[in-house]
Amino acid sequence: MKIIEIKNFSAFYGEKKVVKNVSFDIFKNKITAIIGPSGCGKSTLLRSVNRINDNIPGFKIEGNIYFEGKDIYDGDVDVTILRKKIGMVFQKPVPFPMSIYDNVSFGLKIHGIKRKEKLDEIVEKSLKQAALWDEVRQELNEPASELSGGQQQRLCIARTLAIQPEVLLLDEPTSALDPIATQKIEALLEKLSEFYTIAIVTHNLSQAIRISDYVAFMYQGELIEFADTPTIVKKPQHKLTEAYLNGKIG
Ligand SMILES: Nc1ncnc2c1ncn2[C@@H]1O[C@H](COP(=O)(O)OP(=O)(O)OP(=O)(O)O)[C@@H](O)[C@H]1O
C-alpha cells in the first residue's frame, strides 16, 4: 500500500532545476532506497518529503507530494505536525549537547509530554527500538557526546522514533560510520521496517541492494528507473541503471 505518492515533482534552487518531474510511490512498511551519482538530486528530493528545504532562499517546487492522500505542500498543512509524522535522520549524527535521556525526551517535551513516568517509558522504548538500550541503560544521564559515532547515530534514530513518526527519512545515515557500526544500523533499519516506512538516500550501492525493497535510481535530477530491488539488480530496464550498477557511471 502506498503511503507517499511523488507526482511530477520538480525542485529548484533559484533558476536551477535539480529534481526534474519525478514520480514514484513509497510503500508502507517497506524500505525504499534512493540511489544515483553525486549531485543527482537525491537529498533534495528526500528533504522535500518533510519540507525541510522550505527555508532555503530561492528553493521552490512544482508538482505534488502526497502523504496519506494529502498534498504536503497545501497551504493548510501544519509543517510541525508533518515533520512529527515524517521524521528525518541526517548523515552526520549530531546529538544535542545534553544527556542521552534528554536527547531522546527533548521532542516529547516540545510536544507537551511532561509526566516523568511517561517520558521514562518512551525513552526506554525508543532506545530499545534503536538497539541502543542495552549499551546505555546505566548511563542515561551522561552526555550524549561521549557515545561513539555509531551509538550517536542510533541515538539520533531513537530521538526521531520517540515522537512516533510513521515514516523515517534517512540521508546517508551510515556514510560517517565504520563497517561494524554500519552493519548495526542496516540490521536496525530492516527491523524497523516492520513498524515504519523507510526511505533512505545512500551512496552505497551494496547497502541499497542489501536492505531495500524498492530502488529509485536518479540521474541528473531525473528518475531513470523505479522498481523492486530484485528487478533493479537482475533486470534493469535502462542502460543508465545498468551502467551505474556496474560501476561505469557514478
Ligand atoms: N542549498 C543549496 N543551494 C543551491 N544549490 C544546492 C543546494 N543544495 C544542493 N544544491 C545543488 O543541487 C544539486 C542536487 O544536490 P543534492 O544534494 O540534492 O544531490 P545528491 O544526489 O544528494 O548529491 P550527493 O550524493 O553528493 O549528496 C547539486 O547540483 C547541488 O549542488
Side-chain angles (χ1 to χ4, degrees):
M1 190 177 89
K2 69 182 167 199
I3 184 166
I4 290 173
E5 186 180 358
I6 300 170
K7 198 122 206 235
N8 301 326
F9 185 81
S10 300
F12 305 73
Y13 296 107
E15 294 306 303
K16 194 169 153 200
K17 193 175 190 178
V18 301
V19 174
K20 300 172 184 166
N21 207 29
V22 166
S23 301
F24 68 93
D25 295 336
I26 293 177
F27 297 101
K28 198 171 165 64
N29 292 16
K30 300 289 179 197
I31 301 182
T32 301
I34 304 173
I35 64 169
S38 188
C40 70
K42 306 181 291 292
S43 294
T44 302
L45 177 63
L46 191 79
R47 294 163 70 89
S48 299
V49 176
N50 77 345
R51 294 188 49 178
I52 220 154
N53 277 357
D54 277 14
N55 298 329
I56 294 180
F59 181 76
K60 64 175 195 281
I61 65 120
E62 279 173 5
N64 313 86
I65 297 179
Y66 300 98
F67 171 58
E68 295 177 329
K70 167 90 179 152
D71 190 334
I72 65 162
Y73 283 91
D74 271 357
D76 61 348
V77 168
D78 181 329
V79 179
T80 310
I81 293 175
L82 176 75
R83 294 196 189 129
K84 182 176 182 298
K85 291 184 177 167
I86 304 181
M88 182 129 192
V89 174
F90 300 93
Q91 179 171 10
K92 209 164 163 276
V94 187
F96 303 135
M98 49 182 77
S99 71
I100 294 169
Y101 184 97
D102 289 344
N103 260 275
V104 183
S105 60
F106 188 82
L108 296 168
K109 289 180 186 156
I110 290 178
H111 287 287
I113 299 172
K114 299 257 155 58
R115 220 161 41 85
K116 171 99 173 67
E117 302 83 68
K118 187 73 187 163
L119 289 172
D120 286 354
E121 181 194 318
I122 301 178
V123 166
E124 179 173 338
K125 184 174 168 221
S126 308
L127 286 167
K128 280 182 174 162
Q129 280 193 317
L132 188 58
W133 175 250
D134 290 341
E135 291 159 63
V136 302
R137 59 188 300 174
Q138 307 292 355
E139 44 200 82
L140 294 177
N141 295 316
E142 300 296 320
S145 57
E146 288 175 8
L147 297 173
S148 71
Q151 288 175 324
Q152 289 188 10
Q153 191 60 299
R154 279 179 282 143
L155 180 67
C156 291
I157 292 174
R159 189 170 72 189
T160 307
L161 295 180
I163 49 174
Q164 297 174 317
E166 291 174 44
V167 180
L168 209 51
L169 307 175
L170 302 112
D171 194 353
E172 306 255 13
T174 62
S175 64
L177 305 181
D178 64 53
I180 291 171
T182 296
Q183 199 270 327
K184 278 193 182 158
I185 301 267
E186 287 184 9
L188 171 62
L189 294 180
E190 293 194 274
K191 252 199 212 149
L192 289 175
S193 70
E194 225 179 286
F195 308 101
Y196 302 91
T197 301
I198 294 176
I200 177 172
V201 162
T202 178
H203 261 125
N204 182 333
L205 184 58
S206 39
Q207 174 172 77
I209 293 169
R210 271 195 301 275
I211 67 170
S212 69
D213 301 294
Y214 294 91
V215 170
F217 170 61
M218 291 180 68
Y219 188 75
Q220 295 181 351
E222 290 180 36
L223 178 75
I224 303 298
E225 194 162 343
F226 174 85
D228 60 89
T229 308
T231 301
I232 287 274
V233 174
K234 292 194 198 105
K235 282 195 185 131
Q237 300 296 304
H238 201 289
K239 282 207 160 45
L240 277 170
T241 317
E242 204 176 326
Y244 185 72
L245 292 170
N246 293 331
K248 290 184 181 146
I249 52 170

